[in-house]
């Protein structure tokens, strides 16, 4: 099977490519990535030099560019598409929503259009729990919860989900949507909570917690998400939506305190800062449908996953330094100044 993975140089995409190539000797991957600030070719460099190099192809391009996408289908026979490519950071979407609409909405539309024209037999669209909005203290999101996105990021992801749904209804296109909770693990860009807190703690810098730190996220180790996407790719019902979660609800303060404890750093590094505008209070996922139909079950507890993640960041300090591009540092400076 040859799979077109988009956004494979980012955090989850890179983990997914390693996961698929190591699990299935008959799988080939074509990776289409625009190499934005979040895309890092070095994440997959070992593949280009190792024993799997015959099964891995990189194409530099934009999912919103019709020529780039159709060029891939002309060059390669594609058996399935997994669409990870996106602008993924909520804070950036608050500062500048336009690229989120371009990539997440128009890019998904372009990919869907070409894939259905080429009669691709399987399309998995990677979405997020954030499309459901925010929960109160009780309850969990199910696949039939209403969509109520609160940030430009989540609104663009919800719009893409609507297009995927419409392609299934209108063209009988065999697409599946997956919606996952917060991932953590190797290769995550240090603008997201866990790698940012790791980096600051290592440097004995303040750890900025938005608001009162009581916002709740359900944390899933990235390879457990990869397992879910693999199951959706192989067994997902066309037209279906599957929630994935890690069964690990934590407040942000709990996450940061656990991280500091594992790193042997003091809690005095914690610094409460102005809240994120429109900050969702709580996410929690009911993934019983994925358990029943796909056999999905996360394999890591939060403590196990966090230990693996922190070990990886400790052993890959060079990676952490290399992704600190000037553009990123500029963005962070502006972000803190705005607050
Ligand atoms: P990321 O920001 O780490 O990586 C995104 C990748 O997409 C990068 O390699 C980037 O270069 C590429 N990209 C961006 N725009 C592109 C374009 N127009 N054309 C081609 N490539 C482009 O993101 P991530 O955290 O790995 O998230 C991957 C997907 O999973 C996203 O769709 C995101 O919405 C979804 N998701 C993420 C999480 C999470 O916790 N990180 C949870 C649920 C769902
Ligand atoms: O829930 C899935 C989503 O998880 C994905 O769809 C997004 O792509 C991904 O970025 C992530 O979104 P979040 O906004 O939940 O992740 P982030 O790591 O930015 O923040 C996690 C929580 O921590 C959130 O409540 C905001 C808070 N936070 C974050 C940062 C970066 C802080 O308190 N301080 C920070 O410096």
């Amino acid at each position: 099977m040859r799979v077109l993975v988009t956004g494979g140089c980012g955090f989850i995409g890179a983990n997914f490519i390693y996961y698929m190539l190591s699990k299935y000797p008959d799988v080939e991957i074509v990776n289409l990535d625009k190499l934005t600030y979040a895309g890092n070719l070095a994440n997959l460099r070992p593949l280009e030099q190792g024993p799997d190099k015959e099964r891995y192809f990189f194409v530099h391009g934009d999912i919103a560019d019709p020529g780039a996408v159709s060029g891939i289908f002309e060059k390669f026979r594609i058996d399935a598409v997994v669409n990870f490519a996106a602008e993924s950071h909520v804070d950036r979407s608050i500062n500048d929503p336009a690229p989120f609409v371009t990539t997440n909405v128009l890019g998904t539309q372009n990919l869907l259009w070409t894939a259905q024209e080429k009669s691709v037999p399987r399309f998995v669209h990677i979405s997020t729990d954030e499309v459901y909005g925010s929960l109160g203290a009780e309850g969990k999101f199910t696949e039939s919860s209403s969509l109520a996105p609160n940030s430009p990021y989540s609104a663009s992801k919800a719009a893409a989900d609507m297009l995927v749904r419409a392609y299934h209804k209108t063209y009988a296109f065999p697409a599946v949507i997956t919606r996952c909770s917060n991932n953590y693990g190797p290769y995550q860009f240090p603008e997201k909570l866990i790698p940012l807190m790791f980096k600051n703690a290592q440097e004995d810098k303040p750890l900025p917690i938005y608001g009162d730190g009581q916002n709740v996220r359900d944390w899933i180790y990235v390879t457990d998400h990869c397992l879910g996407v693999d199951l959706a790719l192989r067994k997902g019902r066309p037209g279906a939506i599957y929630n994935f979660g890690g069964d690990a609800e934590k407040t942000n303060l709990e996450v940061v305190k656990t991280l500091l404890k594992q790193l042997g750093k003091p809690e005095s590094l914690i610094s409460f800062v102005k809240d994120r505008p429109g900050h969702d209070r709580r996410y929690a996922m009911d993934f019983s449908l994925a358990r029943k139909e796909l056999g999905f079950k996360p394999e890591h507890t939060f403590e196990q996953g966090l230990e693996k993640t922190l070990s990886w960041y400790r052993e890959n300090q060079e990676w952490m330094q290399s992704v600190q591009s000037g553009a990123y540092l500029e963005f962070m400076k502006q972000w803190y100044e705005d607050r």
Side-chain angles (χ1 to χ4, degrees), residues 6-14 32-40 43 61-64 83-89 102-104 107 125-129 153 157 178-184 187-189 191-192 219-220 225:
T6 68
C9 294
F11 162 48
I12 308 174
L32 171 65
D33 200 295
K34 185 178 171 184
L35 297 177
T36 67
Y37 77 95
N40 186 353
N43 291 352
D62 185 340
I63 59 164
N83 182 28
F84 288 100
E87 288 293 339
S88 69
H89 192 41
T102 308
T103 285
N104 302 0
H125 177 69
I126 309 301
S127 185
T128 167
D129 59 0
Y153 162 71
K157 294 295 290 185
T178 65
R179 293 183 181 144
C180 191
S181 62
N182 283 63
N183 287 221
Y184 63 102
Y187 303 111
Q188 188 167 32
F189 195 84
E191 63 186 354
K192 308 283 165 56
W219 293 93
I220 182 170
H225 185 191

Side-chain angles (χ1 to χ4, degrees), residues 182-252:
N182 283 63
N183 287 221
Y184 63 102
Y187 303 111
Q188 188 167 32
F189 195 84
E191 63 186 354
K192 308 283 165 56
L193 183 72
I194 288 181
L196 178 70
M197 298 296 149
F198 169 85
K199 184 179 131 338
N200 284 13
Q202 289 288 87
E203 295 169 5
D204 294 312
K205 286 188 180 156
L207 273 54
I209 296 201
Y210 301 162
D212 61 4
Q214 295 306 313
N215 303 68
V216 173
R217 298 290 182 266
D218 170 15
W219 293 93
I220 182 170
Y221 189 66
V222 64
T223 55
D224 288 339
H225 185 191
C226 294
L227 164 71
V229 174
D230 175 24
L231 290 167
L233 179 63
R234 284 166 190 276
K235 298 195 200 169
R237 228 179 340 105
I241 298 168
Y242 297 103
N243 281 355
F244 298 133
D247 250 347
E249 277 187 62
K250 310 269 172 214
T251 66
N252 294 336

Side-chain angles (χ1 to χ4, degrees), residues 76-313:
F76 299 97
R77 185 203 76 244
I78 298 292
D79 302 307
V81 176
V82 182
N83 182 28
F84 288 100
E87 288 293 339
S88 69
H89 192 41
V90 174
D91 293 336
R92 284 177 189 262
S93 82
I94 294 168
N95 277 16
D96 185 12
F100 287 75
V101 175
T102 308
T103 285
N104 302 0
V105 186
L106 299 179
T108 302
Q109 142 60 23
N110 183 47
L111 205 56
L112 282 165
W113 179 251
T114 313
Q116 75 73 32
E117 269 199 316
K118 302 286 176 193
S119 305
V120 172
R122 183 57 111 203
F123 189 106
V124 180
H125 177 69
I126 309 301
S127 185
T128 167
D129 59 0
E130 298 202 9
V131 297
Y132 298 122
S134 190
L135 285 166
E138 301 294 321
K140 293 188 176 195
F141 296 127
T142 70
E143 290 80 356
S144 46
S145 298
S146 54
L147 300 192
N150 290 319
S151 70
Y153 162 71
S154 52
S156 69
K157 294 295 290 185
D161 286 13
M162 292 294 100
L163 283 165
V164 177
R165 180 180 189 278
Y167 269 69
H168 174 66
K169 294 280 181 198
T170 308
Y171 309 110
F173 185 57
V176 172
I177 296 173
T178 65
R179 293 183 181 144
C180 191
S181 62
N182 283 63
N183 287 221
Y184 63 102
Y187 303 111
Q188 188 167 32
F189 195 84
E191 63 186 354
K192 308 283 165 56
L193 183 72
I194 288 181
L196 178 70
M197 298 296 149
F198 169 85
K199 184 179 131 338
N200 284 13
Q202 289 288 87
E203 295 169 5
D204 294 312
K205 286 188 180 156
L207 273 54
I209 296 201
Y210 301 162
D212 61 4
Q214 295 306 313
N215 303 68
V216 173
R217 298 290 182 266
D218 170 15
W219 293 93
I220 182 170
Y221 189 66
V222 64
T223 55
D224 288 339
H225 185 191
C226 294
L227 164 71
V229 174
D230 175 24
L231 290 167
L233 179 63
R234 284 166 190 276
K235 298 195 200 169
R237 228 179 340 105
I241 298 168
Y242 297 103
N243 281 355
F244 298 133
D247 250 347
E249 277 187 62
K250 310 269 172 214
T251 66
N252 294 336
L253 201 53
E254 282 169 335
V255 168
V256 171
K257 284 185 176 176
T258 311
L259 178 143
L260 285 169
K261 197 168 171 204
Q262 289 201 10
L263 292 176
K265 294 283 184 174
E267 288 185 9
S268 56
L269 286 174
I270 291 173
S271 159
F272 290 93
V273 298
K274 197 172 159 207
D275 209 353
R276 171 187 277 175
H279 197 176
D280 288 333
R281 193 63 172 169
R282 175 171 167 260
Y283 305 143
M285 291 300 252
D286 175 339
F287 54 86
S288 50
L289 182 70
R291 192 186 287 125
K292 186 167 147 233
E293 288 195 8
L294 307 176
F296 170 76
K297 188 173 177 295
E299 288 169 358
H300 296 79
T301 63
F302 180 69
E303 287 69 22
Q304 289 166 339
L306 188 65
E307 209 170 305
K308 271 177 140 173
T309 304
L310 298 182
S311 304
W312 189 88
Y313 282 116

